[in-house]
Amino acid sequence: MERRTRIKDALAGQPGAELTVRGWARTVRSGKGVTFIALNDGSCFASLQVVAEPVLANYEELARLGTGSALRVTGALVASPAAGQAVELAAREVEIVGPADESYPLQKKRHSFEYLRTIAHLRPRTNTFGAVFRVRSMLAQAIHRFFAERGFLYVHTPIITANDCEGAGELFRVTTLDMARPPLADGEVDYSGDFFGQATGLTVSGQLEGELCALAFGDIYTFGPTFRAENSNTPRHAAEFWMVEPEMAFADLMDDAALAEEFFRYLCRFVLDNCREDLEFFDSHVEKGLVERIGRLADSAFAMMEYGDAIRELQKATVTFEYPVEWGLDLQTEHERYLTEQVTGGPLFVVNYPREIKAFYMRQNDDGKTVAAMDLLVPKVGEIIGGSQREERLDLITARMGEVGIAPEGLWWYLDSRRWGSCPHAGFGLGFERLIMYLTGMENIRDVIPFPRTPRHAEF
Ligand code: 4AD
Ligand code: MG
C-alpha cells in the first residue's frame, strides 16, 4: 500500500501537497454538484474535509455514501474557504474500502454515554471516546516519562498471585480445578492439586512485590492492571483498572506526599501541553472550565490535613451527610468531596488515619492509634491516590498481621524484607482511570476505559 498520511499531519500540511489518507467517514453532505466527506482516522480530534466532485468515476456512489464507511482518498491539499480549517482535500480518487449502510448505529446525532456503553465496540469512533482514549494513551506514556526522568526502575509485578495485599477479600479466583467437581478436604475446596498447588487469584495491588524491589533498587514503580471483585456499582469503581505504584526506600510519609504532588502536577501540565485539542473539546462539551481548572492545579500547592482535623471539619459542616462522621470511621466519597470542594477548594492530602480502617502494612504512629497513611483527595472524584509509609519494624508488622488475622507463613518472603536490611520506605497507588476522569471531566469510570469490567459486564 502507498504511504498513508495521518490526518493530523495532513491538516498541518501546505496547500499543493499531494497525499493519500485513509479513515472513516464521520459525515457525508451532498450538495449541488459536490459532496463533502468529513474523514477521521483517530490521529487527532479534527476531521479532514474531503471535497468530491462529479468528475470522479464513482461519484454517484460517493454521494450516497454511508456514515462510518472506510475510505482511501488521494488528492491535493487546497486552502479551505470554510471556517475552522486551513486546508481541505480535493479528491482525485476515492476508494470505498469498507462500506457502512444506514444500520450503522453511529449516525450523526448525539448519543448518550449510557447508550454508547452498550456499543463499546464502536464508541472509539465517536468524538468523545476518540478524545478520551487519545488522552489515556498520552497519559500512560507521560507516567513512564515522569519516572524515567527521576531514575525510578520500572518493575513488572505478577498478575496471578497468592496474596491479598489490601486484605479486603476481593480477590478474583484463578483456578484450573473442575468447578463441577472440585476436590474437597474437610468440606472445603482443596487447592493443593490446583495448577499452582495453592489458592491463587488476580492481584489487587503490586505493592508487596514492589516493596521487595524498592529494597534493592531504591526507587521503583509498577504500572499495570489490577483486579478487585468488589461488588460496588459506583461511577468510580471498576473490577479491572490500572494502577501506578511507586515505592521509595529511605523515604517517609512526607517524601511520599511530595512525590505524589509533583507527579500529579506534572501530569496536569503534560495534558495541557500535549492534549490541547482534546481538552478544548472536553471543556466545551463535557465540563465547562476544565482547561482553567487543570491549569490552576498545575501551579498550586496542595493542602494537607490530619485525619482528625478532617473529621472535625466534617462535623462542623452544615450539610447533612448520608454516612456518619465520627473519629474511627472511614471517609466516604461525599465527605471527600465536601472537604475538597467546600473546605480547601482543591486537592487535599489527608494523613494519619486510624489504624483500624487501613491495611496491615502501614507504619504505626507513636500515638498508638493512627498509621502513617496518606490519601490524596480531589474535587468531584474523591480519593485518587492512596499511599503510606510502610511498617519496616519486624515485630510491629508481625503483631499487626496477627491482630487482623493474616497468617505470617503466607507472607514469609515479605517478612524477610523486614528481617534483613529493612529501612523506612513509602509509596502510593494512583488509580489511572480516576486520573483520566479528573483530567477529562468524564464522570463515569466506564467511560474512560475502552472495555470496562464492572459487576455483570464483561461482554466486550
Ligand atoms: O487505596 P488503594 O486500595 O491502595 C492500594 O492498593 C495500595 N496498595 C497502593 C500503594 O500504596 N502502593 O488503591 C489505590 C488507588 C485508589 O486511590 C484509587 O484511585 C484506585 O487505586 N482504586 C480504584 N480505581 C478504580 N476502581 C477500583 N475498584 C479501585 N480501587 C482502588
Ligand atoms: Mg484507598
Side-chain angles (χ1 to χ4, degrees), residues 91-167:
R92 197 156 33 76
E93 198 190 331
V94 181
E95 180 196 347
I96 302 174
V97 180
D101 63 16
E102 60 290 343
S103 63
Y104 179 61
L106 296 173
Q107 300 296 336
K108 237 194 233 161
K109 71 176 171 52
R110 273 190 86 165
H111 300 285
S112 71
F113 292 154
E114 287 78 11
Y115 170 67
L116 290 171
R117 271 173 228 147
T118 69
I119 50 166
H121 57 305
L122 297 172
R123 68 179 183 169
R125 298 192 206 174
T126 64
N127 277 340
T128 305
F129 290 91
V132 169
F133 300 137
R134 267 190 304 276
V135 169
R136 184 177 172 112
S137 168
M138 293 294 279
L139 277 171
Q141 316 235 8
I143 284 164
H144 288 299
R145 213 169 85 178
F146 175 87
F147 288 115
E149 283 169 2
R150 284 156 188 78
F152 281 61
L153 190 97
Y154 176 32
V155 294
H156 297 116
T157 49
I159 288 175
I160 300 176
T161 174
N163 72 69
D164 176 0
C165 171
E166 297 305 301

Side-chain angles (χ1 to χ4, degrees), residues 142-423:
I143 284 164
H144 288 299
R145 213 169 85 178
F146 175 87
F147 288 115
E149 283 169 2
R150 284 156 188 78
F152 281 61
L153 190 97
Y154 176 32
V155 294
H156 297 116
T157 49
I159 288 175
I160 300 176
T161 174
N163 72 69
D164 176 0
C165 171
E166 297 305 301
E170 292 169 343
L171 234 62
F172 281 103
R173 199 45 77 224
V174 171
T175 179
T176 55
L177 291 178
D178 179 356
M179 285 290 99
R181 269 171 254 91
L184 300 177
D186 303 328
E188 305 230 321
V189 177
D190 176 11
Y191 288 99
S192 63
D194 201 351
F195 190 92
F196 297 105
Q198 67 186 117
T200 53
L202 298 176
T203 186
V204 298
S205 161
Q207 180 194 320
L208 302 188
E209 295 88 353
E211 284 185 51
L212 305 181
C213 294
L215 296 190
F217 300 102
D219 298 322
I220 66 97
Y221 72 105
T222 70
F223 181 17
T226 309
F227 309 86
R228 294 190 186 179
E230 70 191 311
N231 201 2
S232 46
N233 243 317
T234 82
R236 285 170 307 281
H237 289 87
E240 177 176 313
F241 61 99
W242 282 59
M243 189 154 53
V244 187
E245 295 183 274
E247 190 74 32
M248 298 179 288
F250 309 108
D252 62 18
L253 189 67
M254 290 304 120
D255 299 322
D256 203 27
L259 180 75
E261 180 169 336
E262 190 188 354
F263 182 44
F264 204 75
R265 285 168 48 178
Y266 177 97
L267 296 172
C268 292
R269 175 56 52 205
F270 178 87
V271 289
L272 289 174
D273 292 346
N274 296 280
C275 308
R276 199 58 184 225
E277 191 188 20
D278 290 324
L279 288 199
E280 300 285 354
F281 168 78
F282 294 124
D283 196 311
S284 52
H285 286 86
V286 177
E287 183 196 327
K288 296 262 176 288
L290 175 90
V291 168
E292 202 213 311
R293 170 168 71 74
I294 298 175
R296 259 191 326 232
L297 204 81
D299 299 327
S300 67
F302 296 1
M304 185 177 283
M305 197 183 275
E306 293 279 328
Y307 165 89
D309 293 331
I311 292 296
R312 274 187 288 279
E313 281 293 341
L314 293 167
Q315 285 169 337
K316 277 199 319 219
T318 49
V319 299
T320 20
F321 295 115
E322 190 184 333
Y323 291 91
V325 175
E326 197 182 300
W327 201 99
L329 298 180
D330 208 356
L331 300 182
Q332 303 296 325
T333 304
E334 58 174 350
H335 308 136
E336 297 172 342
R337 292 190 56 173
Y338 176 84
L339 291 169
T340 52
E341 292 166 20
Q342 308 300 324
V343 181
T344 58
L348 166 69
F349 286 109
V350 174
V351 298
N352 299 324
Y353 283 73
R355 65 204 283 258
E356 276 69 31
I357 56 172
K358 289 294 186 186
F360 77 96
Y361 52 71
M362 296 193 183
R363 192 178 198 277
Q364 292 198 43
N365 289 327
D366 294 340
D367 62 11
K369 294 192 304 197
T370 60
V371 285
M374 154 205 107
D375 279 2
L376 177 63
L377 316 180
V378 294
K380 287 182 67 177
V381 174
E383 179 192 338
I384 197 161
I385 284 180
S388 64
Q389 184 173 337
R390 320 306 188 187
E391 183 54 81
E392 85 282 13
R393 298 162 293 188
L394 181 63
D395 49 344
L396 286 167
I397 198 161
T398 313
R400 187 71 190 134
M401 286 167 72
E403 283 168 24
V404 299
I406 298 176
E409 306 82 64
L411 288 180
W412 62 270
W413 46 272
Y414 182 69
L415 293 175
D416 271 0
S417 66
R418 274 57 175 174
R419 202 163 271 126
W420 303 303
S422 187
C423 71

